[in-house]
Amino acid sequence: METRYRLHYAPDNASIIVRMALEALGQPYETVLVDRSTQAQRSANYLAITPTGLIPTLETPRGAIFETGAILLWLADTHGALAPAPEAPERAQFLKWLFYVSNTLHTELRMTFYPRQYVGEEHTTQSALRQQVRANLVRALDLLDELAARGPGWFNGPHPGLMDYYVGACLRWMAIYPVMNTAWFDIARTPHLHLLAQHLDKDAAAYTVAQAEGLGPTPFSAPHLPQPSEGSAT
């Protein structure tokens, strides 16, 4: 099959969500490493296609797309899978939760990883931000666990979709990042999300990505730091 897509990625970054979606859709793609160890995301070449300097970017026949949520939604609508169709009755419910994960959960999680980008260099202020944001994340996880318990077909259903891949990646990162600073997170608190993570460990698309990026045998339910074959996760 002709390769339609080029995924600019870094191991164990948000690109894993897009990569899992591409695998689940059965779409041929090639990966282009954005080497974070050399700050390649700030290079002129990368900024030319992604002016935000964020990872991932997906090059498509219709141009480059950045922002994880936008890429996922475009892929689902283009290929008619992994999410309710635009005309489906459950589309509105799916959209509000996808944007909640993208705009709230993922954004606040980034604040715990990179507090300096939000409040500067003062360590006390960084600690205060992390404390507040983690309280918000606990609440977000409770909401998502309640949603997973209801099991709408597009989340925590028989087959993983966009929401499963996105939430699964966030659960993984909460458990391991920042290194030595994750005691606040306990996946056992949210049993339905824990079950979702266990199912993702066995999902063929997620397994393929985990193997490619060195994420280990239980990358979502009991994750460890990655051992990628190329590039750096941080």
Side-chain angles (χ1 to χ4, degrees), residues 204-219:
Y207 177 82
T208 298
V209 175
Q211 291 295 300
E213 299 196 12
L215 306 186
T218 54

Side-chain angles (χ1 to χ4, degrees), residues 5 80 85 98 101 140 158 164 167 171 179 195 198 226:
Y5 300 121
L98 176 66
V101 171
D164 300 78
V167 172
L171 293 173
V179 177
L195 186 62
Q198 291 172 326

Side-chain angles (χ1 to χ4, degrees), residues 9-16 19 33 36 113-114 169 171-180 182 206 209-220 222-234:
Y9 91 106
D12 208 14
N13 277 233
S15 47
I16 67 170
R19 194 169 185 175
L33 176 67
R36 295 191 61 182
F113 301 159
Y114 313 112
L171 293 173
R172 168 182 171 77
W173 299 327
M174 290 178 196
I176 58 177
Y177 300 117
V179 177
M180 304 298 292
T182 59
V209 175
Q211 291 295 300
E213 299 196 12
L215 306 186
T218 54
F220 303 100
H224 299 283
L225 290 173
Q227 296 182 322
S229 59
E230 64 173 4
S232 172
T234 57

Side-chain angles (χ1 to χ4, degrees), residues 89-158:
E90 63 270 29
R91 174 73 167 197
Q93 297 301 310
F94 162 76
L95 285 176
K96 75 180 183 183
W97 285 106
L98 176 66
F99 279 81
Y100 177 75
V101 171
S102 177
N103 294 352
T104 300
L105 181 72
H106 193 180
T107 298
E108 292 196 331
L109 192 52
R110 278 183 53 84
M111 292 181 186
T112 71
F113 301 159
Y114 313 112
R116 179 175 57 84
Q117 295 181 7
Y118 296 90
V119 295
E121 302 291 344
E122 217 287 317
H123 291 294
T124 302
T125 307
Q126 291 181 13
S127 296
L129 175 66
R130 278 190 167 131
Q131 183 177 358
Q132 177 58 56
V133 167
R134 283 171 177 167
N136 296 343
L137 289 172
V138 168
R139 173 59 176 158
L141 289 172
D142 288 342
L143 291 174
L144 289 166
D145 196 59
E146 292 170 6
L147 179 65
R150 297 198 295 272
W154 43 266
F155 184 52
N156 200 29

